Amino acid sequence: MEGFYRMDSKKVSESCTEIAQFMLPGMANPLGSIHGGEIMKMLDNTAVVCGMRHCNGPVVTISVDNINFFVPIYSGELAVSEASVVYVGKTSMEIEIQMYVENIVMATRKLALIAYFSIVAIDSDFKPFEVPRLELSNETEEKKFAAAEKRLKQRKTRLLNESK
């Protein structure tokens, strides 16, 4: 894996990523709420940056799990996505993204959604490469890691059953 820097491990805090974007009228449906595809694009960009920060190399998204919307996001609002690595395998990572919606005029901020992206580190030949282990620093990080392991097992079981 020539050209990519690899550490033995990294703390969750070393790759945390926040991206904010105003939601514009061209991103909205006729009711003024933002199209899901626009939100997905922002989530994917946030997950990729977070993953690249963890592994110091390129990554690709391999699956998206459990995008749960709590409130709609409207044109004119600020969407803020906050991502962190919650699980690391040999070449893959799970990224948790919490997206908030801010109404700057009203000075309000609400949790809009939570999503989980699975990504894989790839080299210039599109081959997976080993990523740094994840250093868990507190009980919250340990709980998120355990929950991600459970989602991974469920995903593998689901894929196995679907292939039959």
Side-chain angles (χ1 to χ4, degrees):
M1 187 199 62
E2 193 174 326
F4 297 111
Y5 177 68
R6 183 184 181 288
M7 302 174 78
D8 286 336
S9 64
K10 279 192 173 179
K11 294 179 182 179
V12 172
S13 61
E14 291 181 75
S15 58
C16 287
T17 300
E18 180 180 292
I19 295 178
Q21 181 176 346
F22 272 111
M23 299 291 103
L24 302 174
M27 301 171 166
N29 64 28
L31 299 175
S33 63
I34 303 303
H35 288 287
E38 295 286 347
I39 293 168
M40 285 283 298
K41 181 179 177 181
M42 186 174 172
L43 293 172
D44 191 51
N45 286 337
T46 308
V48 165
V49 170
C50 183
M52 289 179 74
R53 282 180 168 169
H54 183 78
C55 71
N56 298 102
V59 299
V60 293
T61 301
I62 58 168
S63 73
V64 180
D65 285 347
N66 303 326
I67 297 179
N68 296 306
F69 288 84
F70 306 118
V71 297
I73 301 172
Y74 291 102
S75 175
E77 294 181 316
L78 181 69
V80 181
S81 55
E82 298 177 353
S84 60
V85 178
V86 293
Y87 176 81
V88 168
K90 184 176 179 182
T91 62
S92 66
M93 296 161 271
E94 183 178 273
I95 311 295
E96 178 188 75
I97 305 173
Q98 296 182 8
M99 181 176 275
Y100 296 88
V101 59
E102 287 187 25
N103 182 314
I104 294 176
V105 174
M106 301 294 289
T108 59
R109 182 176 174 144
K110 297 177 191 172
L111 179 62
L113 67 87
I114 297 176
Y116 298 94
F117 278 63
S118 295
I119 59 176
V120 171
I122 58 166
D123 63 19
S124 55
D125 294 323
F126 300 98
K127 305 284 187 221
F129 67 87
E130 193 170 341
V131 300
R133 291 185 318 275
L134 191 61
E135 287 182 38
L136 304 175
S137 303
N138 56 52
E139 188 176 336
T140 300
E141 291 175 1
E142 290 169 4
K143 286 180 179 179
K144 287 184 177 192
F145 188 91
E149 279 185 311
K150 185 176 178 182
R151 279 190 297 277
L152 177 62
K153 288 177 186 175
Q154 290 170 341
R155 191 168 39 251
K156 286 182 177 182
T157 300
R158 188 175 60 244
L159 289 171
L160 182 64
N161 290 335
E162 289 174 1
S163 67
K164 291 181 181 178

